Each structure stands twice: as structure tokens, then as C-alpha cells.
Amino acid sequence: MNFRKPKEKLDMNEVNEVVSLSKKILHLFYLVMIIAIILIVTIIAREWGIINFLLSVLKVLSPLFIGFVIAWLLNPLVKKMEQKGIPRMVSSLILYLLLIVFLIVFIRILIPTIYTQLNELLSNLPEIFNGVEDYITNLFDSLSTNKGIDLSNVKQNLMETMNTFFVDFTTNLPASIINFVGNFFSSLLTIGFGLIIGLYMLFDFDAINTHLLHLFPKKNRFELSLLITNISSEVRKCVNGTLLVATMVFVCDSIGFAAIGLQAPLLFGFFCGLTDLIPYVGPYIGGAAAVIIGFSQSSLIGIMAIIVAVIVQLIENFILQPVVMSKTMKLHPVTIILGLLIFEHFFGILGMILATPCIALAKVVYRFFVEKYNLFEDQNVILIDEEGK
């Protein structure tokens, strides 16, 4: 008799799970490879001086860039006004007039107030430093007395570090102020040219996109137009949401710091709103400065400054971010933190502010190529055994 060994049936679910896992591993490999390529290209560009060259070119073309950003931000509002029957040129002029009025009010009200508070803060800087020094001395003495731990060396090293920082800060302060004033007026001139360029761009913003598309082959124009639209939409939502949240943080912190009697509340509120543009780490940078000044005034004000900073941060995390940023693109915190580290390493604080919009742009471009070339198309595996089943 001819005995045949029974055939073992393949478990199709297990096979599909293995194939699906392999695709996910391949997907992760491609992501790591893309990040590595971007990092290598950035390092090479920095070593060869390409980044410095590009930064110099961007500095020369900064009025053009500022004008484009302004026109890009205002273009959706102009389109809505056009839909209501208002001519595009009239809509552009109305929005520009409102923007200029806002800038004038901002400069006439906020800047002098911040300058006055900053001047008062600088005049009280030695007193503030002595207050911080006394507070740290009392803290270390109380710890040494209650816990029986000798912290004299730690206290001495900390005091020497603080003295060195204070001496360096006061020595470099006049030159820093002169450089800041020069850069401020230079920036005003650049922004003025940017506003003029932006107005002309806003008059016919859609035509600019059309002219740019004509530089590419006709067969690729539709895909490029779709890509530009997606990039514009995602980055605009990210920028608008971030600016709105930062403005709310500025208002809430300024009111809270003023209520507890902190010196220069508007200055520190503005600083907290500015640093809030940096995701995750920014709010703590801004709050730390206010807390240090608070403890230099008194322990109560320092504790109240911590409470204000924590409350505002909780409001931002659980109310402002979910409500305002609910329609913005979702980015994993690890992705944003890695982007912050890379951009801070190469471009400093400005890089940290621009990291999230750049990551949002990269994500849209990446998704475009994935969908275009079906790089990670997840298809079910269908196997047929010998019996045709």
C-alpha cells in the first residue's frame, strides 16, 4: 500500500501577520533611512559652507520672503472677501490697512511699556542678584542645619558661577543693547520693504502659483499643484494655531504676573508668549525666568509665579491646545523633539521656532511620494494551495 503523508495546511492568518509585520519593519527602515539622509546632507552642507551661503542669500532676499509669508497668510481672507463680492484689490488694501493699524498700536503701546519695564528691571539688577544670592544662601544654610549635610562646597561653586555670569552679563550688556537697537531698526526697514512687496504679491497671489507651475512639465503640474495646496493648508494651520496659542499665553501670563506683583509683568508675559513658539520646552524657559525674578523679590511672589506659570501651562495643555490646535496636523511628540534637537543644533533658537512648520512640510512631502509611488501599499497576501483553494 502507498501511504502518503498528510499535507499540512498553511495558516493564512499567520502568513498575513508575518507579511504585515515585514511591511511595517520595511516602513520603519525607510523612515530611518530618510532621516539619516536628511541629517547627512545637512552635515555635509554645513561643513562645505553651503548653509552659510544659503543663509546669506536668504538674508538678502528676506524682504521678498517676508512679503511672501504675509501674502500667503492673508490670501485666504482675501478669497473669502472676494466670495462676498468685494474686489480683490479692495480686499487686499482693507486687510493691509488693518494690519498696519495693528502694528502701529502694537509698537506705540506695547514696545514703550516693555522698554520701560526692562529699564526698571536692569536698574534693579544688582538688588535682584543680591536677593537671589541671599535666598540661595539661606536655603543651603537651612538644609545644612536640618539635614546635617555639608553643602558648603556646592554653595561656593554655585555662588562663583552666579558671580561669573553676573559680571559677564553686566560687561556685555552695553554692547548687546547697541547691537539689539541696530538690529531692531534694520529689521524695521526690512519689514517695511517686506510689507510693500507682500501687498503687490497679494494683489495677484494665485497668478504667482500659476507662473511657478509653468516652470515644470505639463504632465506634472496637476500633482505639483495638489502638493502645493496640501503644504499650504497644513503649514498654515500649524502656524496660525501656534501664533494664536502663543498670544493667549502672553495675555494670561501678563495678567497673572501683574496680579501677584511681579516686576515687569508685561515683559515676562511677552517672553513667555515668545518662548511658547518652541514646543514642549519653550513654556518652561519663559516661566523659569519669571520664577527667578519672583524669588528675588520674595518667597511668596516666587511661589505665586510658579503657580501662575503652572496654571497657564495647564490651561494651554488641556484647553488651548485641544481647542485651537484640534484641526492642525498631528505630529508625534518624539518626532517634534528630535526635530527640535536637530534644528537647534544647526540653527539655534530660530531653528527651534521653525522646526515644527518644517516638519509639517516634510510630512506632507513624504506622504505625497508614498501615495504617488505606492511605497508602502498594504495588500493582503493570498496564497493558493495545491488543490487550488
Side-chain angles (χ1 to χ4, degrees), residues 229-258:
T229 302
N230 290 336
I231 289 175
S232 178
S233 176
E234 295 297 328
V235 177
R236 179 179 284 110
K237 286 188 293 186
C238 180
V239 171
N240 290 344
T242 302
L243 290 177
L244 184 57
V245 170
T247 302
M248 292 180 177
V249 169
F250 158 62
V251 173
C252 293
D253 273 325
S254 298
I255 295 174
F257 292 153

Side-chain angles (χ1 to χ4, degrees), residues 179-356:
N179 291 332
F180 174 78
V181 172
N183 293 331
F184 177 75
F185 285 104
S186 177
S187 300
L188 286 180
L189 185 62
T190 303
I191 293 173
F193 282 116
L195 286 171
I196 297 172
I197 295 173
L199 180 61
Y200 285 105
M201 285 186 173
L202 191 59
F203 284 155
D204 205 6
F205 189 79
D206 292 333
I208 296 176
N209 292 333
T210 303
H211 290 310
L212 290 176
L213 289 174
H214 280 298
L215 299 175
F216 296 92
K218 190 174 183 180
K219 62 180 182 179
N220 302 121
R221 289 175 188 172
F222 176 76
E223 292 179 339
L224 288 173
S225 176
L226 183 62
L227 175 61
I228 292 173
T229 302
N230 290 336
I231 289 175
S232 178
S233 176
E234 295 297 328
V235 177
R236 179 179 284 110
K237 286 188 293 186
C238 180
V239 171
N240 290 344
T242 302
L243 290 177
L244 184 57
V245 170
T247 302
M248 292 180 177
V249 169
F250 158 62
V251 173
C252 293
D253 273 325
S254 298
I255 295 174
F257 292 153
I260 65 175
L262 183 72
Q263 287 185 347
L266 200 62
L267 174 64
F268 287 106
F270 182 77
F271 183 65
C272 288
L274 189 63
T275 56
D276 195 73
L277 296 174
I278 304 173
Y280 298 104
V281 298
Y284 300 102
I285 296 174
V291 170
I292 291 174
I293 299 301
F295 275 109
S296 69
Q297 294 181 242
S298 68
S299 299
L300 178 61
I301 294 179
I303 295 172
M304 294 298 293
I306 295 176
I307 294 174
V308 169
V310 170
I311 290 175
V312 173
Q313 187 61 33
L314 291 175
I315 292 174
E316 179 189 359
N317 292 337
F318 294 101
I319 298 178
L320 298 182
Q321 289 284 353
V323 173
V324 177
M325 304 289 284
S326 60
K327 295 184 179 181
T328 61
M329 67 176 302
K330 304 299 181 181
L331 291 171
H332 197 278
V334 175
T335 305
I336 296 179
I337 292 174
L338 287 175
L340 289 175
L341 293 175
I342 294 172
F343 276 75
E344 190 277 333
H345 177 73
F346 289 105
F347 307 108
I349 297 296
L350 181 61
M352 297 181 73
I353 295 175
L354 297 177
T356 303

